[in-house]
Amino acid sequence: MAPSFLSVAKFVEALLRRRFSSAGLSLQTLSIDSETTIQFWGPPPSSSSENTQKPSLLLLHGFGPSAVWQWSHQVKPFSQFFRLYVPDLVFFGGSSSSGENRSEMFQALCMGKLMEKLEVERFSVIGTSYGGFVAYNMAKMFPEKVEKVVLASSGVNLRRSDNEAFIARAKCHGIKEVMLPASATDLRRTSGMVSSKRLDYVPDFVLNDFCQEKAELLEGLSIGKDDKTNVSPIQQDVMLIWGEQDQVFPLKMAHDLKEMLGIKTTLKIIQKTSHIPQTEKPKEFNGIVMSFLLPTSPSL
């Protein structure tokens, strides 16, 4: 195993942080209450007047490594047109809480508190996978603040039968075995389900850097416990973006979710991608987002 000071993953993360910095974002930490601290990338406190006139956009990452890994293809193009806020969700990256709540509703409440502390009155939100669970709940909790919602590869209509089917496709014994890989070997198997790009060329010691314990978050989810869904239409316009070959939340779930959310919902499918289209085909993903969020969509 490579020594920690030679960790390729840490070196790559440093490069990704530079990408966020070059997009005009600064890494900040803010206590939102007596128990919870959020680390986030956002506009520097002394932002220019031009920046404050841009619409605000909150990016919520999925299960896995911190936000810099999951939104690295979005921050540069999006920062040209939006005032960006990119937090680590609680219990990921540099965000933490001494409280016992682990639900997606708790995450949504924390993100709402963050935006309130930052005095952001109106904003749109993009959530990918687990981050989409949080984004959907934010839209329900803060309808007066959340303008538009993008749910990317996010099966908020997850049922117990969907979980069981996912476990069968992954050929494992339980959801934790897939979402919380204990080794590089397990992570290689998972990568084949979440991305159309294989990780066979990546050394084991790099993959092992991503194997993190998040079992309590999976147990804290309110969805997927039975065969009922709690999805109902929300007042905001919603864009669903889905990978054609998504094996985590198959495409049928996207069509079902569109029907559940109602007439203000649009579905866009990105061909030849799986569960992380924002990484697999970022230009197409970004174009869909821009055309949805902005009145006149710029070319990226």
Side-chain angles (χ1 to χ4, degrees), residues 148-200:
K148 292 186 177 181
V149 181
V150 178
L151 303 179
S153 307
S154 186
V156 296
N157 53 330
L158 183 72
R159 300 164 300 177
R160 182 171 58 192
S161 58
D162 297 315
N163 260 335
E164 292 169 350
F166 175 48
I167 292 166
R169 288 193 300 274
K171 298 179 181 179
C172 64
H173 298 98
I175 192 69
K176 292 181 187 178
E177 192 176 333
V178 183
M179 300 305 290
L180 300 173
S183 67
T185 300
D186 293 340
L187 186 53
R188 288 185 199 282
R189 178 192 58 208
T190 302
S191 73
M193 302 196 72
V194 301
S195 175
S196 59
K197 300 177 181 179
R198 303 294 297 182
L199 298 179
D200 295 335

Side-chain angles (χ1 to χ4, degrees), residues 9-204:
K10 290 180 180 178
F11 173 72
V12 174
E13 180 159 343
L15 294 179
L16 294 176
R17 286 177 174 234
R18 290 180 63 181
R19 185 177 296 181
F20 275 59
S21 297
S22 68
L25 304 180
S26 67
L27 185 61
Q28 303 166 55
T29 302
L30 183 63
S31 295
I32 60 170
D33 56 37
S34 61
E35 296 182 325
T36 306
T37 299
I38 304 297
Q39 179 174 277
F40 68 99
W41 291 87
S46 57
S47 297
S48 66
S49 59
E50 177 186 355
N51 189 282
T52 57
Q53 294 174 3
K54 297 176 182 178
S56 296
L57 178 59
L58 175 66
L59 304 183
L60 301 179
H61 64 80
F63 220 82
S66 62
V68 292
W69 291 90
Q70 301 193 41
W71 295 117
S72 64
H73 295 287
Q74 281 67 52
V75 287
K76 192 69 173 180
F78 285 178
S79 65
Q80 298 175 53
F81 305 99
F82 299 99
R83 187 173 172 85
L84 286 184
Y85 299 87
V86 193
D88 288 335
L89 292 171
V90 187
F91 312 112
F92 292 88
S95 298
S96 62
S97 178
S98 59
E100 297 182 356
N101 199 326
R102 297 294 187 273
S103 71
E104 65 271 32
M105 287 80 75
F106 170 72
Q107 295 275 14
L109 181 62
C110 289
M111 294 301 107
K113 286 182 178 180
L114 172 67
M115 300 304 273
E116 183 178 1
K117 286 275 188 179
L118 294 171
E119 299 182 346
V120 182
E121 295 183 359
R122 296 281 288 171
F123 56 92
S124 293
V125 58
I126 306 176
T128 179
S129 193
Y130 176 75
F133 302 169
V134 181
Y136 171 73
N137 279 284
M138 288 190 75
K140 292 176 67 175
M141 290 179 180
F142 309 107
E144 74 288 353
K145 293 181 176 292
V146 177
E147 295 184 309
K148 292 186 177 181
V149 181
V150 178
L151 303 179
S153 307
S154 186
V156 296
N157 53 330
L158 183 72
R159 300 164 300 177
R160 182 171 58 192
S161 58
D162 297 315
N163 260 335
E164 292 169 350
F166 175 48
I167 292 166
R169 288 193 300 274
K171 298 179 181 179
C172 64
H173 298 98
I175 192 69
K176 292 181 187 178
E177 192 176 333
V178 183
M179 300 305 290
L180 300 173
S183 67
T185 300
D186 293 340
L187 186 53
R188 288 185 199 282
R189 178 192 58 208
T190 302
S191 73
M193 302 196 72
V194 301
S195 175
S196 59
K197 300 177 181 179
R198 303 294 297 182
L199 298 179
D200 295 335
Y201 59 90
V202 183
D204 282 2

